[in-house]
């Protein structure tokens, strides 16, 4: 029996929950929402450049039931704010695991997007997202998360492939500086295409209490077919190869084999502390999971075939593995694989949030495109750290993997300290 005047555990838990919700609601009320402008387009700057900041694994609501999460989320959002002020990009990407939905509450899990996008809204910037395995959970599904994102004017996240194939499968064209929205856009052709692929994973969205069912953790073949068909249609319409890059949360299996081949600290600079966890991991070839004998089911082979055989596809960027931040150029048929690389660059981002595992220093991956360089299918990248430093500055060109760069220090940052 509890002593008179002393709060019970349950009453304290209820108080903390109410406090967290009140703070969350108070924060949300400070953000105005309005429908996204359907006519807004992405454009290169007048100087012929286009700059993208990529934020990976923000993991808001890592422990939504505990007030310590308020600090986690606050510090993660501050990383985004600081990077935006230092880099001043034209566009931002949230590359999966925006929300740690498996530890959030069902009734407001999607509302954490409000905190995540506020730094962009405050600076008048737009963004696009891919969803990760922690965004697809019993308490949250991609459609609910997408609806919340699209309440904000800056959201460019959308859905172009219908069916049970994930939510964030779409593309965004980037036009020359002189192009205008509306009817005049028909006179322009894109200079760059940004592709977004939903690698899914996590759990099926269900009522709390039902048995959790695993989501497939790879880019669906229907999405692959859409990507190939749309690319062919663009080639026919514009009568040219349009340079492109892609974003997907879970990396393809080729990154496992490239890592096994070796990540050289001078030729592929970046943190390399974790064995890559690919699409198809934990599944059998017959698309069943739960069999301990099945380590990888080959489900991402169609996706890998598509990206290596798409002319002008320069690079694919993933998150998921918080302790990896390197890039590798895939040029060959790797051991144990049927797909041969043809020069596409496969890259990890930088863990951005204070939610999720690990204390590797937080930051973002920056992508720097120029109209002149992408004609040669070349672009630059670096990691911007929350400390203000820049590491891993590289040119993703024909000699990447042979060129030497400074080693990336393996620094750490902590929630308290």
């Amino acid at each position: 029996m509890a002593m008179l005047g002393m709060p019970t555990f349950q009453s304290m838990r209820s108080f903390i929950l109410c406090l967290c919700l009140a703070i969350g609601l108070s924060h949300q009320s400070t953000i105005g929402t309005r429908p996204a402008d359907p006519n807004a387009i992405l454009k290169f700057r007048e100087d012929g450049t286009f700059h993208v900041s990529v934020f990976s694994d923000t993991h808001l609501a890592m422990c939504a039931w505990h007030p310590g999460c308020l600090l986690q989320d606050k510090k993660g959002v501050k990383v985004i704010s600081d990077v935006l002020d230092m880099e001043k990009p034209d566009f931002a990407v949230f590359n999966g695991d925006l929300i740690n939905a498996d530890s959030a509450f069902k009734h407001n899990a999607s509302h954490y997007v409000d905190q995540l996008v506020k730094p962009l809204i405050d600076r008048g910037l737009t963004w696009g997202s891919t969803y990760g395995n922690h965004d697809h959970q019993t308490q949250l599904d991609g459609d609910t998360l997408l609806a919340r994102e699209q309440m904000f004017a800056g959201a460019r996240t959308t859905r172009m492939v219908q069916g049970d194939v994930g939510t964030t499968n779409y593309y965004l064209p980037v036009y020359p500086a002189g192009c205008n929205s509306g009817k005049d856009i028909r006179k322009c052709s894109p200079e760059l295409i940004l592709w977004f692929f939903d690698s899914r994973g996590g759990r099926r969205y269900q009522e709390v209490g039902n048995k959790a069912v695993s989501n497939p953790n790879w880019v669906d073949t229907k999405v692959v077919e859409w990507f190939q068909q749309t690319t062919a249609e663009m080639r026919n319409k514009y009568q040219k190869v349009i340079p492109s890059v892609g974003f997907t949360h879970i990396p393809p299996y080729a990154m496992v084999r490239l890592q096994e081949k070796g990540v050289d600290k001078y030729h592929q600079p970046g943190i390399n502390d974790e064995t890559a966890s690919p699409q198809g991991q934990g599944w059998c070839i017959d698309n069943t999971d739960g069999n301990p004998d099945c380590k990888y089911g080959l489900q991402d082979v169609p996706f890998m075939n598509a990206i290596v055989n798409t002319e002008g596809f320069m690079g694919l960027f993933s998150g998921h593995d918080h302790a990896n931040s390197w890039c590798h150029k895939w040029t060959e048929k790797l051991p144990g694989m049927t797909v041969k690389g043809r020069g596409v660059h496969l890259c990890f981002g930088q863990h951005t949030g204070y939610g999720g595992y690990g204390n590797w220093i937080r930051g973002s991956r920056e992508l720097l495109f120029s109209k002149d360089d992408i004609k040669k299918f070349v672009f630059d990248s670096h990691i911007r750290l929350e400390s203000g430093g820049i590491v891993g500055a590289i040119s993703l060109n024909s000699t990447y993997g042979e060129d030497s760069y400074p080693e990336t220090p393996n620094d750490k940052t902590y929630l308290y300290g």
Side-chain angles (χ1 to χ4, degrees):
M1 180 180 295
M3 292 178 62
L4 183 63
M6 293 294 292
T8 65
F9 171 80
Q10 185 63 37
S11 66
M12 282 298 295
R13 185 179 183 276
S14 299
F15 171 77
I16 291 170
L17 173 58
C18 292
L19 176 63
C20 292
L21 294 177
I23 293 173
L25 290 171
S26 175
H27 175 82
Q28 292 160 21
S29 68
T30 66
I31 306 175
T33 61
R34 57 190 175 91
D37 179 1
N39 296 316
I41 60 172
L42 301 179
K43 300 193 293 185
F44 278 78
R45 300 178 186 180
E46 293 292 341
D47 66 0
T49 63
F50 186 73
H51 181 169
V52 179
S53 292
V54 185
F55 302 107
S56 299
D57 297 277
T58 49
H59 282 274
L60 265 62
M62 182 69 185
C63 50
W65 47 269
H66 192 284
C69 276
L70 298 176
L71 179 59
Q72 271 189 343
D73 293 350
K74 181 178 179 180
K75 290 192 73 168
V77 172
K78 186 177 187 301
V79 173
I80 297 169
S81 296
D82 290 347
V83 165
L84 294 176
D85 288 341
M86 289 183 279
E87 290 289 339
K88 296 179 172 56
D90 303 294
F91 185 70
V93 172
F94 291 110
N95 203 10
D97 286 359
L98 286 66
I99 297 168
N100 207 83
D102 36 336
S103 59
F105 294 103
K106 183 179 177 181
H107 69 279
N108 71 342
S110 67
H111 295 194
Y112 286 87
V113 164
D114 302 14
Q115 300 176 50
L116 198 63
V117 304
K118 188 176 187 300
L120 292 149
I121 294 169
D122 289 346
R123 291 159 180 80
L125 295 172
T126 63
W127 71 89
S129 301
T130 69
Y131 296 157
N133 50 298
H134 285 278
D135 298 310
H136 294 291
Q137 290 290 332
T138 55
Q139 296 92 328
L140 180 66
D141 67 340
D143 290 348
T144 303
L145 186 52
L146 177 63
R148 190 72 186 186
E149 272 201 78
Q150 290 183 338
M151 292 174 64
F152 300 98
R156 296 292 168 263
T157 310
T158 189
R159 179 177 194 153
M160 292 185 176
V161 187
Q162 302 305 312
D164 187 18
V165 296
T167 304
T168 50
N169 298 295
Y170 62 104
Y171 71 88
L172 295 172
V174 185
Y175 291 95
C179 290
N180 297 311
S181 301
K183 294 181 180 179
D184 288 345
I185 199 65
R186 293 177 295 186
K187 302 175 183 178
C188 296
S189 63
E191 298 286 346
L192 175 70
I193 302 293
L194 307 178
W195 293 96
F196 299 81
F197 303 104
D198 196 326
S199 53
R200 303 176 292 177
R203 304 293 182 183
R204 295 282 188 178
Y205 181 64
Q206 299 175 339
E207 292 294 327
V208 176
N210 289 355
K211 182 180 178 181
V213 177
S214 295
N215 244 342
N217 61 354
W218 59 87
V219 176
D220 193 272
T221 53
K222 183 177 178 181
V223 174
V224 173
E225 292 165 1
W226 162 80
F227 168 58
Q228 293 173 312
Q229 179 181 345
T230 305
T231 300
E233 290 171 353
M234 286 185 189
R235 177 71 182 271
N236 183 59
K237 178 179 180 179
Y238 297 112
Q239 293 296 299
K240 68 176 184 178
V241 174
I242 303 175
S244 63
V245 296
F247 305 93
T248 191
H249 180 66
I250 303 176
Y253 184 71
M255 297 186 83
V256 174
R257 293 302 190 183
L258 287 168
Q259 188 180 46
E260 291 172 351
K261 178 183 176 182
V263 177
D264 186 273
K265 61 185 178 181
Y266 299 116
H267 294 154
Q268 293 94 18
I271 300 169
N272 183 37
D273 281 358
E274 180 177 8
T275 300
S277 301
Q279 298 180 26
Q281 184 178 46
W283 288 74
C284 301
I285 294 175
D286 64 359
N287 290 352
T288 60
D289 73 324
N291 185 337
D293 294 329
C294 297
K295 307 301 182 184
Y296 164 64
L298 303 172
Q299 286 87 356
D300 62 341
V301 168
F303 178 58
M304 290 189 290
N305 262 317
I307 63 173
V308 299
N309 289 300
T310 297
E311 192 175 2
F313 193 92
M314 301 182 291
L316 181 72
F317 295 87
S318 300
H320 195 53
D321 298 338
H322 300 182
N324 291 328
S325 63
W326 45 266
C327 292
H328 228 299
K329 184 163 70 171
W330 183 17
T331 59
E332 62 193 293
K333 186 176 178 181
L334 297 163
M337 293 190 64
T338 59
V339 184
K340 180 182 178 180
R342 301 178 185 274
V344 65
H345 300 283
L346 302 180
C347 297
F348 283 106
Q350 184 82 8
H351 181 199
T352 301
Y354 273 79
Y357 65 90
N359 292 308
W360 296 275
I361 188 168
R362 280 72 174 182
S364 66
R365 177 167 287 283
E366 302 296 316
L367 308 181
L368 308 171
F369 303 99
S370 79
K371 287 179 63 176
D372 291 337
D373 284 346
I374 62 174
K375 291 176 182 177
K376 299 173 285 188
F377 306 114
V378 172
F379 62 105
D380 294 338
S381 182
H382 63 262
I383 300 292
R384 172 67 77 169
L385 301 175
E386 62 177 323
S387 62
I390 290 176
V391 298
I394 54 178
S395 178
L396 294 166
N397 56 26
S398 62
T399 57
Y400 182 74
E402 303 169 19
D403 304 331
S404 292
Y405 297 98
E407 178 183 359
T408 297
N410 195 340
D411 295 330
K412 304 290 194 300
T413 50
Y414 300 92
L415 181 62
Y416 300 101

